[in-house]
């Protein structure tokens, strides 16, 4: 009897222990449930994915349900200027940050050799022209045959071609701005020896900015040229713009297509190169 009572007592203790474990687990389960994301927390964890996925990036886009994408507002015209020949930099006409017009002188290389060559060929042209004019008169008087007459004309044309080539070489000693804009980079200084194809300057036009978007192929056909978008720059005020061009070609490697925004920035509202978020405005059909 005592053995049976001990067995019963042992079984009762085990049942009590199991019940105790069950009760102690319940508060822990409630704590896990309390830590689960709610409201804004859940939304922020969802929108932390890459903008390229088409998921809204940021609170504004999340609130409206419109997709947004990260981009950079880069100058539409951005030109690197390279040395066209080797030589020493004799003078500089600009510093970084200076506005220039097309044709403004940025730098001058040592041009003494090129000037001497040009002067030599200009003299050759004058001599050949005089010979041609004399041959022309003699040919009109039937004094010389066609062959010397044609030869004199060919000599003049060859001398003029060599003169023009020497002039091009001399003009390359003067480095000029090819576009209107701002000198954003100067890589040379007076007295420096440069080689042909060395990078000398960079000129960018901040008056016209372009943003390039890589959109997922799922949006193909839903965005179009002229569509309104909202630009949210990293610094500065938001602005409304429009898509200037939408490509219909999809990159098979990334599954994206490109769209562009051209922005008139003549009032210098935004600094060139700034990052921005582009939010697609809802189309009239979607707001009905």
């Amino acid at each position: 009897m005592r053995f049976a009572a001990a067995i019963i007592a042992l079984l009762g203790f085990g049942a009590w222990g199991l019940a105790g474990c069950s009760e102690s687990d319940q508060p822990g389960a409630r704590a896990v449930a309390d830590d689960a994301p709610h409201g804004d927390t859940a939304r922020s964890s969802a929108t932390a994915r890459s903008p390229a996925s088409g998921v809204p990036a940021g609170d504004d886009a999340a609130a409206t349900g419109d997709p947004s994408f990260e981009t950079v507002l880069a100058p539409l015209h951005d030109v690197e200027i390279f040395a066209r020949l080797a030589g020493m930099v004799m003078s500089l006409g600009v510093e970084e940050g200076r506005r220039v017009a097309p044709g403004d002188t940025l730098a001058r290389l040592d041009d003494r050799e090129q000037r001497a060559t040009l002067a030599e060929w200009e003299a050759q042209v004058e001599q050949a022209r005089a010979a041609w004019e004399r041959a022309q008169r003699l040919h009109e008087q039937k004094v010389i045959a066609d062959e010397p007459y044609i030869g004199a004309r060919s000599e003049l044309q060859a001398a003029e071609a060599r003169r023009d080539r020497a002039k091009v070489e001399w003009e390359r000693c003067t480095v000029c701005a090819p576009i209107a804009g701002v000198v954003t980079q100067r890589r040379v200084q007076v007295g420096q020896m440069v080689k042909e194809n060395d990078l000398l300057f960079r000129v960018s036009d901040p008056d016209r900015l372009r943003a390039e978007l890589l959109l997922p192929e799922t949006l193909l056909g839903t965005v179009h040229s002229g569509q309104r978008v909202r630009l949210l720059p990293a610094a500065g005020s938001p602005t409304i713009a429009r898509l200037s061009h939408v490509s219909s070609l999809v990159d098979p490697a990334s599954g994206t297509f490109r769209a562009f925004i051209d922005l008139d920035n003549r009032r210098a509202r935004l600094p060139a190169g700034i990052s921005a978020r582009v939010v697609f405005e809802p189309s009239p059909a979607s707001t009905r």
Side-chain angles (χ1 to χ4, degrees), residues 229-272:
V229 295
R230 188 156 36 101
L231 285 173
L232 305 176
S237 303
T239 184
I240 298 297
R242 294 184 182 273
L243 295 180
S244 57
H245 175 68
V246 176
S247 174
S248 59
L249 300 178
V250 176
D251 179 13
S254 62
T256 60
F257 65 98
R258 297 194 299 170
F260 301 92
I261 302 168
D262 290 341
L263 189 65
D264 187 346
N265 196 46
R266 284 176 291 184
R267 295 183 180 180
R269 292 177 298 173
L270 296 171

Side-chain angles (χ1 to χ4, degrees), residues 64-179:
T64 61
D66 302 322
S68 70
F69 302 88
E70 300 295 329
T71 187
V72 173
L73 298 174
L76 179 60
H77 300 293
D78 185 18
V79 180
E80 291 181 327
I81 303 167
F82 298 87
R84 302 293 302 277
L85 45 75
M88 178 182 291
V89 179
M90 302 301 293
S91 65
L92 290 173
V94 296
E95 293 292 339
E96 289 186 1
R98 167 86 175 273
R99 268 199 174 268
V100 294
D104 283 356
T105 299
L106 305 180
R108 293 185 186 276
L109 304 182
D110 186 0
D111 64 349
R112 289 174 293 180
E113 181 178 350
Q114 288 76 13
R115 278 191 290 114
T117 302
L118 176 58
E120 179 182 354
W121 284 115
E122 284 178 341
Q124 292 287 340
V125 167
E126 292 302 320
Q127 182 178 353
R129 180 175 290 112
W132 152 248
E133 291 174 352
R134 183 172 59 254
Q136 191 175 25
R137 290 193 303 268
L138 295 176
H139 185 263
E140 292 172 353
Q141 297 170 4
K142 308 296 183 181
V143 175
I144 61 174
D146 291 342
E147 186 175 352
Y149 165 75
I150 295 173
R153 185 177 61 184
S154 299
E155 285 294 331
L156 174 60
Q157 292 173 341
E160 288 176 338
R162 289 189 288 265
R163 186 269 318 273
D164 292 344
R165 187 165 56 247
K167 186 177 181 181
V168 170
E169 289 295 309
W170 172 69
E171 290 175 345
R172 287 177 175 175
C173 295
T174 301
V175 182
C176 298
I179 63 171

